[in-house]
Amino acid sequence: MTDIRTERMEKRLWGLSVPDLAAHPTVYAPDLLKGQRLLISGGGSGMGRATAVLAVRLGAEVMICGRDGEKLDRAAEEIERATGARILTRAMTIRDPEQVSAVMDDAFDELGGLDALVNSAGGQFPIEAIDLTPKGWNAVVDTNLNGTWHMMQAAARRWRDAGVPGSIVNIVATIDRGIPHSAHTAAARAGVVYLSKSVAVEWAPLGIRVNALAPGTIETEGLNNYPPAMLSRLGQGNPMRRMGDTWDIAEGVVYLTASSGKFVTGELLQINGGMHLWGTNWPLGVPESFRGTGG
Ligand SMILES: CCCCC/C=C/C(=O)SCCNC(=O)CCNC(=O)[C@H](O)C(C)(C)COP(=O)(O)OP(=O)(O)OC[C@H]1O[C@@H](n2cnc3c(N)ncnc32)[C@H](O)[C@@H]1OP(=O)(O)O
Ligand SMILES: NC(=O)C1=CN([C@@H]2O[C@H](COP(=O)(O)OP(=O)(O)OC[C@H]3O[C@@H](n4cnc5c(N)ncnc54)[C@H](OP(=O)(O)O)[C@@H]3O)[C@@H](O)[C@H]2O)C=CC1
């Protein structure tokens, strides 16, 4: 096993811990996000949680949301213990427009306004497309496309009504060449990318910037949802032949969110070791006809 640490494989302890993140060097000035207020969906784990840690380290006020309230509270407690910053949490599902509207109202009320939305909530499961059931398809599309849209539109309407600018970063996936064994999520993410491009134009006059960020294979606890056999190959499916980490993503989100991104909208930032150019994960194993091809 090259890039996958054996201990993490065996204990399935993926990714950077909150203490790791709190101490991690950053390229950004300490007060870069001072006074900024962020809502981060999926902020209880993985890339969302890493983004929350970096944001509070840079002076932002943060609310995180997700389905599992205990996970959110655990993340908030770890972040407060490691950084001294208190963050707000809301248990909800992005798939329900009414719950999205409520969490958006809470964010604007309790943070005293909102400057940026980060949509990290999402997920999928590996399956051969031909075996997908309507329920499975709908679950992934409803989460990753519809849910992301509900969050985007709810934030944009409130920024428009308040006459203030905003920024949205949508975490998607590397979809340039499709995602074999995850066609449902490739379709949903492609939808989010072109949704982002479309409203980046429509909402520019409102001062709302909208960008997408495509991770490659990133070491997070979300990988525990994948077959162990796949995990031993993870990270090989890109030219850099290794996995990225959640800090790579968090610093990419901050680049797009902070003043560094003030003239960037409708963009797709790929943080994936070149995965959009070469390499395939094959989550369910490399099919016979592709063995030995390196693809
Ligand atoms: C894409 C390849 C890149 C490799 C690296 C990528 C890694 C990551 O993205 S990890 C980080 C993301 N985290 C996750 O994916 C974990 C969260 N995933 C989920 O929550 C689910 O996958 C979900 C997004 C589909 C939502 O699940 P759930 O809330 O349970 O959805 P529903 O109850 O509405 O419907 C469930 C329905 O979906 C089908 N299904 C769900 N999981 C599987 C599975 N593992 N295998 C096959 N089918 C699955 C199935 O039809 C379910 O219906 P029932 O069978 O009636 O339960
Ligand atoms: N890790 C990787 O290699 C890759 C990840 N991605 C995508 O990046 C994003 C972040 O994933 P990552 O940080 O790795 O993994 P995580 O599973 O840690 O993050 C996904 C987060 O989304 C939340 N979530 C899932 N469904 C919903 C929902 N319906 N409503 C609200 N919150 C929800 C989960 O919390 P809860 O379960 O409590 O709701 C979880 O905190 C995801 O969209 C993922 O699919 C894309 C490509 C590769």
Side-chain angles (χ1 to χ4, degrees):
M1 242 177 270
T2 53
D3 66 316
I4 296 176
R5 284 171 284 282
T6 307
E7 181 200 356
R8 285 184 172 164
M9 268 293 285
E10 288 165 356
K11 296 181 179 173
R12 295 170 76 73
L13 289 174
W14 294 104
L16 296 168
S17 69
V18 169
D20 291 339
L21 296 164
H24 201 294
T26 178
V27 296
Y28 297 115
D31 60 354
L32 180 66
L33 295 183
K34 188 168 176 59
Q36 294 289 292
R37 298 142 309 175
L38 279 71
L39 171 61
I40 304 171
S41 73
S45 60
M47 300 179 206
R49 185 180 62 197
T51 301
V53 173
L54 180 55
V56 296
R57 284 181 55 186
L58 300 177
E61 292 178 78
V62 170
M63 176 183 284
I64 59 175
C65 64
R67 295 169 299 182
D68 181 341
E70 286 181 13
K71 180 197 292 187
L72 295 167
D73 291 342
R74 201 162 46 247
E77 286 159 15
E78 289 179 342
I79 291 171
E80 183 172 6
R81 193 177 314 124
T83 67
R86 291 200 61 216
I87 66 172
L88 303 174
T89 66
R90 282 296 177 282
M92 51 81 78
T93 173
I94 60 173
R95 292 162 70 167
D96 179 346
E98 290 183 5
Q99 291 185 43
V100 166
S101 184
V103 79
M104 209 55 74
D105 285 339
D106 286 350
F108 275 77
D109 292 346
E110 303 210 19
L111 294 175
L114 190 69
D115 300 287
L117 169 65
V118 180
N119 285 312
S120 183
Q124 59 280 315
F125 53 89
I127 190 166
E128 293 195 13
I130 205 160
D131 296 331
L132 255 173
T133 65
K135 187 175 179 185
W137 168 269
N138 289 333
V140 170
V141 172
D142 199 21
T143 298
N144 298 317
L145 177 57
N146 300 346
T148 301
W149 168 242
H150 298 326
M151 293 290 281
M152 291 169 68
Q153 190 185 48
R157 283 176 167 174
R158 286 159 178 79
W159 283 323
R160 174 202 60 187
D161 295 346
V164 297
S167 164
I168 298 173
V169 176
N170 295 317
I171 307 286
V172 291
T174 296
I175 55 171
D176 301 57
R177 296 177 293 125
I179 310 180
H181 294 168
S182 286
H184 47 0
T185 210
R189 309 316 182 138
V192 173
V193 169
Y194 280 86
L195 182 55
S196 302
K197 291 172 185 277
S198 305
V199 296
V201 176
E202 282 192 38
W203 296 348
L206 299 173
I208 299 169
R209 295 186 299 109
V210 186
N211 292 293
L213 188 159
T217 306
I218 307 297
E219 188 181 334
T220 74
E221 48 265 63
L223 297 182
N224 282 326
N225 295 281
Y226 284 82
M230 166 190 168
L231 301 181
S232 61
R233 289 183 284 109
L234 268 189
Q236 299 306 300
N238 67 71
M240 294 179 76
R241 310 304 301 271
R242 64 179 176 83
M243 286 199 279
D245 61 36
T246 52
W247 201 251
D248 295 316
I249 305 304
E251 290 202 314
V253 170
V254 168
Y255 166 74
L256 291 170
T257 301
S259 56
S260 43
K262 67 184 184 302
F263 197 48
V264 180
T265 196
E267 185 52 74
L268 171 60
L269 176 60
Q270 309 239 36
I271 302 180
N272 62 13
M275 184 179 181
H276 55 295
L277 301 172
W278 177 92
T280 308
N281 268 322
W282 294 112
L284 298 176
V286 184
E288 183 67 35
S289 52
F290 291 91
R291 293 215 178 117
T293 63

